[in-house]
């Protein structure tokens, strides 16, 4: 399917690895020129080159921390007038509800709520002026079904979800859509570190932890960054202009709910 976005320009945050990289690769496959970001310059440049080699689009790599104002300023300077924004950042660490203090919450809010909101505020006005734009936020299945040890993530992402629910309706009339993609367990570095956390907690091996977690997913496996990227590219496509303010689960059926 021609996604109808060839030649457009996208900013994909936190994209040197994992789900962000999957989104960047899928957008590039659709002919979109990219600004990609992550903190570590080496992995970021490797990903930028892999995308250029695979799809021949322009890729600008900006090594910066997207959760800081200075980091966002660098990304925004390179972005210019972007048509597409994919918001992403690392997830907060697991822990216990009684241990988190104000600083832990502020850090989680900065990463998973306030940074994506700041990027939306910076880029969406020009999209509205041009009458076309797409924003996809990578959030988590924990928005629909809480993961108790990820309370910081549950809280911060719920805040972003509330912001998007209202704002997406305010900007839709100008041709800009904002939606959230909710990953269940995907085979990325993040999943490997969560497998290790489960293994340490239960005194089992990471492989046993993975097998145990796979059993909790009706599809019987972890998702892939490629599948995730394809869903993101569709939401960013010319065909998705009527999809507004939605929270789309990609979880192999892991969240057991009717709606
Ligand atoms: P990942 O494989 O660990 O990749 C994270 C990417 O984000 C890397 O490129 C990393 O590069 C970059 N990054 C992290 N913090 C950043 C920051 N402050 N500024 C800029 N770039 C940053 O993680 P993932 O699995 O793709 O997860 C992506 C998001 O989805 C996370 O928020 C995660 O919590 C959420 N999620 C993932 C899963 C899953 O199963 N994978 C499930 C639910 C939710 P640098 O470290 O070099 O910056």
């Amino acid at each position: 399917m021609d996604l109808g976005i060839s030649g457009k320009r996208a900013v994909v945050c936190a994209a040197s690895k994992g789900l962000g990289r999957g989104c960047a690769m899928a957008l590039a496959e659709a002919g979109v020129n990219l600004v990609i970001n992550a903190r570590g310059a080496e992995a970021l440049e490797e990903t930028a080159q892999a995308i250029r080699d695979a799809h021949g689009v322009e890729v600008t790599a900006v090594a910066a921390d997207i959760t800081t104002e200075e980091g966002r300023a660098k990304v925004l300077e390179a972005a210019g007038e972007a048509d597409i924004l994919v918001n992403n950042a690392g997830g907060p660490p697991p822990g216990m509800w009684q241990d988190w203090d104000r600083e832990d919450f502020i850090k989680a809010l900065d990463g998973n709520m306030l940074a994506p909101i700041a990027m939306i505020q910076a880029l969406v006005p020009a999209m509205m002026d041009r009458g076309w734009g797409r924003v996809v936020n990578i959030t988590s299945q924990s928005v629909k079904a809480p993961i108790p040890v990820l309370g910081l993530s549950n809280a911060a992402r719920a805040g972003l979800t509330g912001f998007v629910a209202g704002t997406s309706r305010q900007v839709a009339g100008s041709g800009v859509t904002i939606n959230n993609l909710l990953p269940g367990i995907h085979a990325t570095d993040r999943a490997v570190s969560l497998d290790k956390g489960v293994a340490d907690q239960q005194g089992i091996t990471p492989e046993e932890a993975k097998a145990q977690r796979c059993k909790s997913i009706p599809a019987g496996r972890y998702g892939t960054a490629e599948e995730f990227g394809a869903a993101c590219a569709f939401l960013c496509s010319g065909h998705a202009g009527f999809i507004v303010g939605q929270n789309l689960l990609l979880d192999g059926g892991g969240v057991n709910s009717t709606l």
Side-chain angles (χ1 to χ4, degrees), residues 16 36 40-52 59-62:
S16 65
I36 61 169
E42 199 176 323
L44 183 66
E45 191 42 57
E46 274 175 26
T47 291
Q49 196 53 45
I51 296 172
R52 289 182 200 112
V59 186
T60 305
V62 183

Side-chain angles (χ1 to χ4, degrees), residues 130-151:
R130 292 194 302 276
W132 197 96
R134 299 283 184 265
V135 179
V136 171
N137 303 299
I138 300 179
T139 66
S140 172
Q141 69 177 6
S142 71
V143 170
K144 293 234 182 203
I147 301 168
V149 293
L150 293 178

Side-chain angles (χ1 to χ4, degrees), residues 13-24:
C13 305
S16 65
K17 297 179 191 162
L19 305 180
R21 178 183 160 124
C23 294

Side-chain angles (χ1 to χ4, degrees), residues 145-231:
I147 301 168
V149 293
L150 293 178
L152 293 171
S153 169
N154 299 338
R157 297 185 199 278
L160 175 63
T161 304
F163 174 82
V164 166
T167 306
S168 59
R169 271 99 185 161
Q170 290 175 301
V171 304
S174 299
V176 179
T177 70
I178 312 180
N179 292 287
N180 302 319
L181 276 181
L182 283 54
I185 305 174
H186 283 70
T188 67
D189 288 359
R190 167 85 170 166
V192 171
S193 88
L194 291 177
D195 286 346
K196 188 171 177 316
V198 172
D200 292 347
Q201 208 179 33
Q202 300 187 12
I204 55 179
T205 65
E207 293 68 32
E208 286 167 334
K210 181 173 179 182
Q212 196 182 88
R213 295 215 293 157
C214 279
K215 277 195 196 142
S216 71
I217 305 171
R221 63 174 177 87
Y222 289 1
T224 69
E226 290 73 22
E227 292 169 306
F228 192 88

